[in-house]
Amino acid sequence: LSQVGSIAMPINPMTFVLLPTLQRILLERADAGDVQTCVALCEVMGVVIPPSASGQPPKTLVPGLGLELVREWYLSYIDILQQMCLFSHAAALISNSADPVVAALNQQSTTIHESCPDCGKPLDSTAVSNDDKEDKEVKVGLSAQRVCKRCRKRVGLCFLCHQVVKGMFVWCPGCGHGGHLNCALEWFGGAEGLPPQEMCPTGCGHKCNLLQRIQSFPRTKSMCRQVPVETHAGGE
C-alpha cells in the first residue's frame, strides 16, 4: 500500500492500466453493437462480482462501469442466442452468470407463441373448442385440439397421422406444418423401404426437408443420434 495523505492506495497495475483499458474496449464494442465480444470479455475477466455473503449487492470489477449496462449486454446476447436456436448455449450462459437477475431467467417459465399454419394469425390460450357446439371461448392447452377463431380450421394435429400432438412437436418454419417427431422422421427420413421425402405431407407444396433441419441445429444432436435407427431399421 502507498500512503497518499490519510488514504491507503493499493499498488495494483490492474487498477491503473488494465481496468481502464478494459472499460474502454467494452464501451467501444458496445457502441458498435458487438454484445458478443462484450459478454465474452466480461466472462473471461470476471467483470461481474456476485453478491457477497454479508449481503452486499453485486457490482462490477471495472470502476465507472454500471451493472445495469453489463446486464443489458447479457440480456441482448441471450436473446440473440435464442433467436439462433442456440438454446443450450443460452441456458449455460444464464446458469453460470454471476448476476442474480440474469441467473434467475432459468427459473422463469417458457412461453411459446403459436400461429395458425393455414391463415398465419396468432393463436392464444383462449380458442374455440371443436367439441363445443355453441362455439364458446374456453381455455385450452397447447397440446389440446383447437379450432382457429379466424379461419375455423383445426390446429395442433400431426401433419402425417392427423392425431393430436401431446409429446415432442416439430414443425417446418417455412410452411408452419408439423407434428410428431417420429412421424417427421418416418416421412422425411424414409421407412419400410420407402425413399426419403422432401415435400410437406400436407400437400401445401413446400419443400420442408425437416430431417436436414433437425440435423443442422446443435440443440437436437441427441435426437440426430437416433435417426439412423429410426430411418434404416425398416430398410434392412
Side-chain angles (χ1 to χ4, degrees):
L1 297 178
S2 62
Q3 192 74 18
V4 179
S6 60
I7 302 176
M9 301 294 293
I11 302 177
N12 190 341
M14 290 186 62
T15 305
F16 302 102
V17 180
L18 182 57
L19 294 183
T21 303
L22 179 60
Q23 179 189 20
R24 190 161 52 249
I25 295 175
L26 288 173
L27 295 179
E28 178 184 350
R29 299 316 305 164
D31 292 338
D34 188 6
V35 292
Q36 180 181 10
T37 301
C38 293
V39 174
L41 288 175
C42 290
E43 288 292 303
V44 173
M45 302 300 298
V47 171
V48 180
I49 301 177
S52 62
S54 59
Q56 294 182 355
K59 59 182 180 179
T60 62
L61 179 66
V62 181
L65 187 63
L67 181 61
E68 293 78 10
L69 180 59
V70 177
R71 184 176 299 162
E72 288 295 327
W73 296 342
Y74 273 81
L75 296 178
S76 300
Y77 185 51
I78 291 171
D79 184 60
I80 293 175
L81 292 176
Q82 293 175 348
Q83 291 180 7
M84 297 178 64
C85 299
L86 299 175
F87 302 112
S88 299
H89 296 76
L93 181 62
I94 294 173
S95 301
N96 298 325
S97 176
D99 187 358
V101 176
V102 177
L105 294 177
N106 273 351
Q107 302 175 4
Q108 299 177 1
S109 60
T110 302
T111 302
I112 300 177
H113 300 279
E114 291 182 297
S115 297
C116 177
D118 293 295
C119 66
K121 298 298 183 180
L123 299 173
D124 50 26
S125 58
T126 303
V128 179
S129 174
N130 194 37
D131 299 330
D132 197 323
K133 297 181 180 180
E134 298 180 359
D135 288 344
K136 294 182 179 179
E137 292 187 350
V138 294
K139 288 286 184 178
V140 292
L142 291 175
S143 61
Q145 181 175 341
R146 294 181 297 176
V147 176
C148 178
K149 295 188 295 185
R150 295 165 178 84
C151 66
R152 311 296 294 181
K153 293 185 178 181
R154 291 183 298 177
V155 296
L157 301 181
C158 179
F159 58 180
L160 190 61
C161 67
H162 306 291
Q163 300 295 324
V164 178
V165 180
K166 296 184 178 180
M168 183 176 294
F169 187 92
V170 294
W171 70 92
C172 173
C175 64
H177 298 115
H180 298 98
L181 175 62
N182 292 334
C183 292
L185 294 177
E186 177 184 351
W187 178 261
F188 295 102
E192 299 181 358
L194 299 177
Q197 303 292 328
E198 293 185 348
M199 306 303 293
C200 181
T202 61
C204 67
H206 185 261
K207 187 177 180 180
C208 300
N209 200 5
L210 276 180
L211 185 60
Q212 182 178 358
R213 293 180 183 274
I214 290 174
Q215 293 175 340
S216 63
F217 289 116
R219 70 183 188 277
T220 52
K221 287 182 178 179
S222 59
M223 293 188 295
C224 292
R225 297 190 187 100
Q226 303 175 0
V227 171
V229 179
E230 296 286 344
T231 57
H232 295 90
E236 293 181 354

